[in-house]
Amino acid sequence: MATMENKTIGCIIMASGQGKRFGSNKLMADFLGEPLLASVLKATENLFAERIVVTRHVNVADYCAKQNIGIVLHNFPNRNDTVRLGLEKLSDVTHCMFVMGDQPLIKRVSLERILQAVKNEPDFIWRFAFEDTLGAPVVFPRKYFAQLKTLPEGKGGGVLLKKYADQVRTVSVLSSEELLDVDTQEDLQKITQIKISSES
């Protein structure tokens, strides 16, 4: 659903995690024969005006470059740096969706639904949810970009989600599994089994 309306929305894929709990670079860990990051790249393909992968990992940057996906390779330490660098690289867009690179069960149909919500009500901040559980991705209108570029050290967009809670709206995903991310080897094993079960 790469509509003209979506072509005003940018996408920043957050891929700068150091993987301390995982023990290595989790984004390139094997997930059913492909790097973990590949699932998010496939789900977001052709939905946006531009995609930028922000990472501190050379192998992630090389993998994305081979697919002609925009990259920012950096060595800054904090989440606020990842947000700022992505926005500085992004072209002129009306909104930006922030997607976590370690959510491999995210479904394209859910991304299309949140993009439709942004189209219908563009002034709000939109995010995924399942029942009472809130999660990522999150879409911010351009009026918040300046504040996103100057987040407190070590903080992410959650600061603005709290500050402007009355401006946040949610789109329900099909299952809570879409909101799962990978922090540990055990998480990866669990998510792999969920994926296998869903396809059997």
Side-chain angles (χ1 to χ4, degrees), residues 34 43 64-65 74 82 105 117 127 162 184 192 198:
E34 294 186 299
C64 294
H74 69 97
T82 302
L105 300 183
R127 70 181 307 181
K162 292 179 181 178
T184 65
T192 299
S198 70

Side-chain angles (χ1 to χ4, degrees), residues 8-83:
T8 67
I9 303 173
C11 176
I12 294 174
I13 298 174
M14 308 279 280
S16 294
Q18 299 185 55
K20 292 181 179 178
R21 292 175 60 192
F22 192 83
S24 61
N25 177 10
K26 61 184 177 182
L27 296 169
M28 295 302 289
D30 180 76
F31 181 64
L32 299 174
E34 294 186 299
L36 182 69
L37 179 62
S39 295
V40 169
L41 297 182
K42 289 178 181 178
T44 56
E45 188 175 11
N46 295 327
L47 288 181
F48 301 93
E50 185 179 11
R51 285 186 300 169
I52 304 293
V53 175
V54 186
T55 186
R56 59 168 55 89
H57 305 290
V58 173
N59 56 352
V60 169
D62 290 344
Y63 181 75
C64 294
K66 290 176 182 177
Q67 301 182 59
N68 295 315
I69 299 170
I71 53 174
V72 176
L73 181 61
H74 69 97
N75 59 3
F76 288 92
N78 297 315
R79 179 175 289 256
N80 61 294
D81 298 313
T82 302
V83 173

Side-chain angles (χ1 to χ4, degrees), residues 19 32 90 97 105 140 161 174:
L32 299 174
L90 203 61
M97 179 184 287
L105 300 183
F140 287 95
L161 294 175
L174 299 178

Side-chain angles (χ1 to χ4, degrees), residues 6-194:
N6 296 348
K7 292 305 183 182
T8 67
I9 303 173
C11 176
I12 294 174
I13 298 174
M14 308 279 280
S16 294
Q18 299 185 55
K20 292 181 179 178
R21 292 175 60 192
F22 192 83
S24 61
N25 177 10
K26 61 184 177 182
L27 296 169
M28 295 302 289
D30 180 76
F31 181 64
L32 299 174
E34 294 186 299
L36 182 69
L37 179 62
S39 295
V40 169
L41 297 182
K42 289 178 181 178
T44 56
E45 188 175 11
N46 295 327
L47 288 181
F48 301 93
E50 185 179 11
R51 285 186 300 169
I52 304 293
V53 175
V54 186
T55 186
R56 59 168 55 89
H57 305 290
V58 173
N59 56 352
V60 169
D62 290 344
Y63 181 75
C64 294
K66 290 176 182 177
Q67 301 182 59
N68 295 315
I69 299 170
I71 53 174
V72 176
L73 181 61
H74 69 97
N75 59 3
F76 288 92
N78 297 315
R79 179 175 289 256
N80 61 294
D81 298 313
T82 302
V83 173
R84 173 179 53 81
L85 291 167
L87 284 172
E88 288 174 351
K89 177 76 171 179
L90 203 61
S91 301
D92 185 30
V93 292
T94 62
H95 297 75
C96 181
M97 179 184 287
F98 290 88
V99 181
M100 303 300 110
D102 62 351
Q103 277 183 248
L105 300 183
I106 192 171
K107 295 186 181 298
R108 187 177 182 87
V109 65
S110 296
L111 293 172
E112 291 174 343
R113 289 179 64 195
I114 198 171
L115 289 171
Q116 185 63 46
V118 172
K119 175 188 171 184
N120 293 340
E121 298 185 84
D123 292 333
F124 292 112
I125 300 168
W126 287 93
R127 70 181 307 181
F128 275 7
F130 182 78
E131 297 179 350
D132 295 330
T133 302
L134 301 174
V138 180
V139 183
F140 287 95
R142 180 164 52 196
K143 63 185 176 182
Y144 298 104
F145 288 4
Q147 294 180 73
L148 287 166
K149 290 178 182 177
T150 56
L151 291 168
E153 184 174 340
K155 300 295 184 179
V159 171
L160 298 191
L161 294 175
K162 292 179 181 178
K163 183 177 180 179
Y164 300 106
D166 61 331
Q167 295 298 304
V168 178
R169 300 292 184 271
T170 60
V171 167
S172 296
V173 294
L174 299 178
S175 74
S176 60
E177 295 162 354
E178 288 192 63
L179 304 180
L180 296 176
D181 60 6
V182 174
D183 288 323
T184 65
Q185 296 280 351
E186 289 74 22
D187 291 340
L188 180 59
Q189 293 172 12
K190 174 184 176 181
I191 288 176
T192 299
Q193 288 304 312
I194 291 172

